[in-house]
Amino acid sequence: MRIDIISVIPDFFASPLEKGLLGIARRKGLAEIHVHNLHDYGLGRYQQVDDAPFGGGAGMVIRPEPVFACIEKLQAERAYDEVIFMTPDGERFEQKRANRLSTVENLIVLCGHYKAMDERIRQTLVTLELSVGDVVLSGGEIPALMVMDAVVRLIPGVLGDGESALTDSFQGELLDCSWYTRPAEFRGMKVPDVLLSGHHEKIERWRQENARERTLRRRPELLRRESEEE
């Protein structure tokens, strides 16, 4: 998979792309991630990428020319499956979307900044708008990292144990179950006996029941959604 990120603060990604699963995926050659500085396509001596909004109002708006120049250059080199714009009013990013994106070859992730992005960019270039929640951040860089992390970890070979990702929360409309490790007793708190039994069927049944109970207690709307889909 290849991911091209467009940002006005490209240095923001330096450390995250070297560490953790994103760094592992790059070193294994499973994910190729490039960060492009939008200012390289800016206008004039000062490489301007933003301007005041027509009609007045507070804040600045990213101009269309730099974004069009950058994305059209990339698209001239290869075909992209999606051009993603990170924005609070986009589609809520969820596990099913991450699953689908993990199967494609090439992605562009456009990070918003300042007050807004010129609407002509969104109408013409962007194919998918994603939000990580009903909250406004200073830019799209943190949401972009969240999306990349969620997607790249699903690429076969990135995780040491590929099956681990398949049992995560939200993969089956349920939260993940409770997990325990050694010691079997810690400060008077004991691991459930069934997990020490070695009886795989009973353990799996306990995990399913625990996941459903945990979901009912923490995120009951997920169970309602499951019932509606059935």
Side-chain angles (χ1 to χ4, degrees):
M1 171 183 286
R2 176 182 170 119
I3 303 175
D4 288 273
I5 310 164
I6 303 172
S7 169
V8 298
I9 47 173
D11 291 346
F12 180 92
F13 295 95
S15 178
L17 293 184
E18 293 297 325
K19 308 296 182 182
L21 284 178
L22 292 176
I24 291 172
R26 297 178 76 198
R27 288 190 289 275
K28 285 184 175 181
L30 298 173
E32 186 179 347
I33 303 175
H34 300 269
V35 184
H36 305 272
N37 186 349
L38 189 60
H39 286 285
D40 289 342
Y41 301 85
L43 306 175
R45 178 181 177 183
Y46 298 103
Q47 297 179 301
Q48 182 182 0
V49 299
D50 62 318
D51 213 326
F54 280 125
M60 302 294 280
V61 178
I62 291 183
R63 296 178 60 125
E65 301 99 324
V67 179
F68 271 77
C70 182
I71 291 180
E72 288 177 345
K73 179 179 182 296
L74 291 172
Q75 290 176 329
E77 298 169 354
R78 66 189 54 81
Y80 285 88
D81 299 278
E82 299 281 6
V83 177
I84 302 171
F85 175 47
M86 305 307 307
T87 174
D89 60 352
E91 168 196 318
R92 180 71 66 90
F93 181 60
E94 295 184 343
Q95 190 63 48
K96 286 183 178 180
R97 175 62 72 178
N99 293 345
R100 289 194 288 270
L101 290 175
S102 72
T103 65
V104 307
E105 293 185 5
N106 299 310
L107 296 172
I108 291 176
V109 182
L110 176 61
C111 301
H113 218 76
Y114 310 118
K115 175 65 176 177
M117 188 83 61
D118 188 287
E119 188 66 19
R120 290 165 291 188
I121 298 169
R122 302 174 68 168
Q123 292 176 347
T124 307
L125 297 175
V126 173
T127 63
L128 177 62
E129 299 187 343
L130 293 179
S131 167
V132 296
D134 295 341
V135 61
V136 177
L137 303 178
S138 58
E141 286 75 20
I142 292 175
L145 280 173
M146 292 173 64
V147 169
M148 283 194 296
D149 190 274
V151 170
V152 168
R153 68 189 299 276
L154 297 173
I155 298 174
V158 173
L159 289 176
D161 181 359
E163 185 179 349
S164 175
L166 300 179
T167 59
D168 288 336
S169 294
F170 309 113
Q171 285 289 8
E173 301 296 351
L174 293 177
L175 298 181
D176 201 358
C177 64
S178 304
W179 293 88
Y180 298 86
T181 188
R182 293 180 178 84
E185 182 174 347
F186 176 71
R187 295 185 179 180
M189 298 177 284
K190 297 182 179 180
V191 172
D193 291 338
V194 64
L195 299 180
L196 308 176
S197 68
H199 196 298
H200 298 300
E201 290 184 7
K202 289 183 179 179
I203 291 173
E204 183 59 28
R205 192 180 312 120
W206 180 89
R207 285 176 173 165
Q208 288 290 332
E209 293 172 354
N210 180 268
R212 182 165 289 274
E213 184 276 330
R214 194 182 184 96
T215 305
L216 181 63
R217 176 162 39 89
R218 297 186 177 197
R219 295 288 301 278
E221 75 277 9
L222 295 177
L223 291 175
R224 289 195 293 269
R225 183 192 306 173
E226 181 184 38
S227 299
E228 292 170 357
E229 291 179 351
E230 292 176 353

